[in-house]
Every structure is written in C-alpha cells, then in structure tokens.
Amino acid sequence: MRSDRMKKGVERAPHRSLMKAMGFTDEEISRPIIGVANSFNEVIPGHIHLRQVVDAVKAGIRMAGGTPMEFGGIGVCDGIAMNHLGMRYSLASRELIADSVEVMAQAHPFDGLVLVPNCDKITPGMVMAMLRMNIPAIVISGGPMLTGNWHGKKVNLITVFEGIGKVKTGEMSKEDLQELESEACPTCGSCAGMFTANSMNCLTEAIGLALPGNGTIPAVSASRIRLAKEAGMKIMELVEKDIKPRDVATLDAFKNAIAVDMALGCSTNTVLHVPAIAHEAEVELPLELFNEISLKTPHLCNLIPAGPHSLYDLHLAGGIQAILKELSSIGVINDSCLTVTGESVGENFKGARVTDTEVIRPVTDPYHKEGGIAILYGNLAPEGAVVKQSAVAPQMLVHSGPARIFESEDEAYSAILAGKIKEGDVVVIRYEGPKGGPGMPEMLSPTSAIVGMGLGAKVALITDGRFSGGTQGAAIGHVSPEAAEGGPIALAREGDTIKIDIPSRKIELDISEEEFEKRRAEWVAPEPKIKTGYLARYARLVTSGAKGAVLK
C-alpha cells in the first residue's frame, strides 16, 4: 500500500505514535488510508453543509474496510467576492487548491483520495489535483441549491443581481429588492442554475470521475448523503483494483464532457477549467475542439440563466446520465470509456431515461441545433474568445456597433448604472485578463446591470476577463491575447466599429492592418495593478485564458 511509506515497519514507530495521538488504533492504521479533502467553510453557501457530506463519505470508507483521514481546503464564494478586489483572487485560488491537495497527499501518502468540493474554483482545483497525483480518487460534490419562490416566480442569485439594474430604472423598488434577496437563495448548495459550480460538477460526472447523480442531486436531499456513502465505499474498490484518474480521464472522456457541456449550455468558465484539468491529465485539448464538438452537438436544455429550468428540474428529468444516453444516439458520446463506477459510460446510463422532454429535449427537437458555447476568432481575438451562444438573443447573434472603451470593470459598471450605455453599443472592458486583472475577474455585475436595465438584447459586452455562469446576453469573454500582453483588444479605441458574427465564429475590429500597426507601435504596457503578494506572483506565472489560465 502507498500508505506503508508512513506506517509500516519498525522505522515507522514514531509515525504510528503520532497517529495514535489522534486516537487511531492499530487496526485502523493497518487498513488502507484514504485522504478526504473537505472544502467546508462558513463563507460559501455551497460548502456550509459539507461536514455532513464528509461524515457520510467517511462512514462509507469505514463500511468498506478503510480508514479515512480528513483535511481541509480553502474556497472563495464567487458571489460574495463579486465586483470588488476579492474577485481577483477567485480564479487564482484554483491553483492554490490544486497545490494544497497535492501537498497533503504527498506529505501523507494516502492510498486513495475522496475530494469533496462544490463551488466554482474548488471543483476544478480538486479535480486538477487528482489528475496530477494520479492515485485512486473520486469526487463527490455537495450538490445544487434549490430555487427560491418570490411572488409565484422561481428566483435565484442572478435574479438579485439583475434586480439592481431594475431598481436603477425604477422597475423595482428597493423594498422589493430587499424582500427578493431574502428569498432567492433558500437552501445550502451551489447556486441553482447552470452556473460554473454546477457546470463543473455535471462535467465531472460526464468525464466519469464522479458517480452518476453527482451533478444534479440537490444539496438538501437524502440522496446526496447516500451518494456520499457510496463514494466512500467506491474509493475502496478503486484502491483495490488500482483504477486511477488518468485511466478514466482520457481524450475521449473529455470529448464526452464537452458534448454534455454543449447540450446543457454550461458556463463559459468550463472553457477555462476543462483544458486546465486536461493539462494535468497530460491530455492535449485545443480550444478548437470546443467548436468542433459544438457544431455537431445539439443544445438540449434551457437552464437558468438562459431559460426557466433549474438543476433540480434537470435531476428529475433524468440528469446527466439521461443526457449521455440521448447524445449517444447521434454518435457524439464514446460509451466505452471507463468511469469510477468500475463500469463504462454506456453501462452506467443503460437504465437512464428522459422523464420530461421539455427539460431535456430529444436530439430530434433541440432548443438549438448547435451546442451552448462558441469560440470566436478574428483580428480582435486571434487566439480565441468565448460566448455562451445559447444565452444570446437571436437579434444579437450578428451585431455591429461602436466600441465603448473601459479600462476596468468598475469603470464600466458605473457607466452602465449611470445610463451612459445606449442601444447598439459594444462595451469593451479590458486589462481584466489573467495577467492584467490580475486574476481574470468575472463580469457578473455589469452583465446583470445591462439585463436589469433592459439592454440585454440590445448591447454587446466584450472583455479579456471572464463571465459568471450566471451571465446571459451577447457577452464575449476570454479575449486572447489579453490587453496586458498587448493583444488587439488593447488597441481598440472609443467609437471603433466592432463586428460580431457568432454563427460564423467571427469577431473583428473594423480598422485597417496599417492602423493596427500604428497603434501597436504607440502602445505602452501598463504598470501591474498589484505588485506584492500572491496575485503579483500569479500574474507573473499565469498563461493565457486560451490555454486554461494554467501556471507556467
């Protein structure tokens, strides 16, 4: 056993003594030792209940003959960190989370790992670590939040963000907004729509690194606790059979996940996280693959924020396994891929079925013929930009308008709320990429303000930063190369015409190459916004958003 390094033989008597100081018996020490990474904290609503989930995992490990050893991890709540300095630490925290799991599992050589994340950067960070370590491991997330009910309508966190813009336009009173904020997030769990957290938990299931149900069983359901116990038991089987994460996370498994991504209309952040996870698995996953799969995968689900359906609706309709089965009928799923159940993808979804064809449309009658995400290229984004095309109003799929240039999110947000953005404008927010931000902050506040003020189908927004999974509208992010590296987005000027053609996968700044060259010669790299601490180190090491914003 791997754990013999710290417990076997006369030379390890001091090590065993320290374990006994924590109450472990000789019998417990002799068993396979499983590290349980618990990302519980009292900051994130998606993590506030994880002690109970972890207790169930540990019960499952003990039932199957193992000894669990729990350790903690950090986590940022993107919603609470939104629209202030804290958001610059969110994406950057992903690398710290991966590193910290690696540190714990190398310093204390566990025989296997159970990873218990739930929210935006914690799930991909922990999955990155399991693939980097490549010891038997399984993921069990905390599950999604239920939607709230306000005045007879389903509401969620994004409803509150959009309410700010409605208050500014007089469509909603401050009293109504205060009432709404008390109803929008009624339970623990990851926020109720197909935002980044739920997108990643669903895709972890689709890759095969989590048990069926991981992405959609609600946080407050007893089924989530039972699934956690099953995950605890299953890790013992993975250890016994020596099934490792890289046996599961192959190129075909990632292609399966991208197909599910397209069918669901997941967060654009998946285009950052899936390549970063593949990088740790030593699987090459070029950005172009997302377009290739999107063009042949129909969009089957109209989930919050683009549509009315919640994660619970998706669960009741059949969940991720039903989507895999539906997509397999058109040949975009490799059903022979191995999963952590010990069975193949096809064997897992054998008994699955769609029980609500409005929530999960058949492939013969999709919401859209193409997948939810598109990668755009052009002289404004030579290395690519990302848009959730399933959340774009039809009239904005092709758009041309004057650039409104802002050098920061705060500057743009203030202009939007002040009514300075007009119909037809293309809002450009730059110097907010991985290096320039630093940390590539999400732009949920400005996009929600645009929607709340009635401009969601009239204004485009382009940034080298990124968007929340809760963003809807013609919001194009991850523009690469970013402005801080002298990318073309740094050369755009107020009033320039920007042409967007999402069906053709194009984004262009309408100026001549001669003018481009003139502006390049005049461009001066700005001073870093943050010069000390973790973010300064992160900015020096981070790569392009087109490469998953992994560290060099």
Side-chain angles (χ1 to χ4, degrees), residues 154-451:
K154 280 184 184 178
V155 291
N156 60 83
L157 178 67
I158 307 307
T159 318
V160 186
F161 271 100
E162 292 174 358
I164 298 168
K166 291 182 179 181
V167 168
K168 293 290 183 181
T169 60
E171 188 180 338
M172 178 184 285
S173 69
K174 290 181 180 178
E175 292 73 23
D176 277 350
L177 181 60
Q178 185 174 8
E179 186 181 299
L180 171 62
E181 75 181 49
S182 298
E183 301 297 331
C185 300
T187 72
C188 61
S190 45
C191 297
M194 191 48 75
F195 313 139
T196 305
N198 290 323
S199 295
M200 291 311 304
N201 290 331
C202 288
L203 296 190
T204 302
E205 179 182 339
I207 293 170
L209 294 170
L211 296 176
N214 179 72
T216 58
I217 294 174
V220 294
S221 171
S223 296
R224 175 63 54 179
I225 300 304
R226 293 196 296 271
L227 190 72
K229 289 178 181 176
E230 289 169 15
M233 291 186 281
K234 186 59 67 174
I235 187 59
M236 297 305 297
E237 182 182 320
L238 296 174
V239 168
E240 182 184 351
K241 295 180 178 178
D242 197 31
I243 296 174
K244 298 184 177 76
R246 293 188 193 180
D247 298 328
V248 172
T250 62
L251 177 58
D252 284 336
F254 282 110
K255 288 180 177 179
N256 286 349
I258 294 171
V260 170
D261 188 335
M262 297 305 164
L264 289 172
C266 286
S267 163
T268 52
N269 282 314
T270 60
V271 183
L272 279 176
H273 299 319
V274 174
I277 292 166
H279 174 76
E280 296 290 354
E282 298 184 0
V283 171
E284 190 174 340
L285 205 68
L287 201 57
E288 292 81 4
L289 193 60
F290 284 83
N291 268 347
E292 180 185 317
I293 294 174
S294 180
L295 289 170
K296 60 185 181 182
T297 307
H299 176 223
L300 305 182
C301 302
N302 199 20
L303 299 163
I304 298 168
H309 302 133
S310 68
L311 263 289
Y312 188 41
D313 294 330
L314 177 61
H315 178 64
L316 294 176
I320 301 306
Q321 298 305 309
I323 289 172
L324 284 164
K325 189 173 186 178
E326 187 67 21
L327 292 177
S328 73
S329 69
I330 57 170
V332 296
I333 296 296
N334 184 330
D335 60 12
S336 66
C337 291
L338 179 68
T339 74
V340 290
T341 65
E343 306 287 348
S344 70
V345 169
E347 288 166 326
N348 287 347
F349 69 55
K350 200 173 191 180
R353 65 189 181 94
V354 175
T355 60
D356 187 332
T357 55
E358 189 61 20
V359 177
I360 303 175
R361 289 270 186 96
V363 291
T364 53
D365 183 29
Y367 283 101
H368 301 98
K369 292 180 181 179
E370 293 181 5
I373 288 175
I375 311 298
L376 311 184
Y377 295 93
N379 66 4
L380 193 59
E383 294 177 6
V386 183
V387 63
K388 186 190 279 194
Q389 62 177 346
S390 58
V392 178
Q395 62 267 39
M396 290 298 293
L397 289 169
V398 177
H399 179 73
S400 179
R404 302 296 310 280
I405 306 295
F406 300 96
E407 310 298 342
S408 71
E409 176 189 6
D410 291 345
E411 187 183 328
Y413 188 47
S414 297
I416 294 163
L417 292 180
K420 295 179 180 179
I421 303 303
K422 307 301 181 187
E423 181 176 338
D425 284 349
V426 179
V427 177
V428 177
I429 305 176
R430 62 192 180 191
Y431 295 104
E432 296 286 17
K435 287 184 181 294
M440 205 179 189
E442 287 186 346
M443 304 289 172
L444 180 56
S445 292
T447 57
S448 295
I450 285 170
V451 172

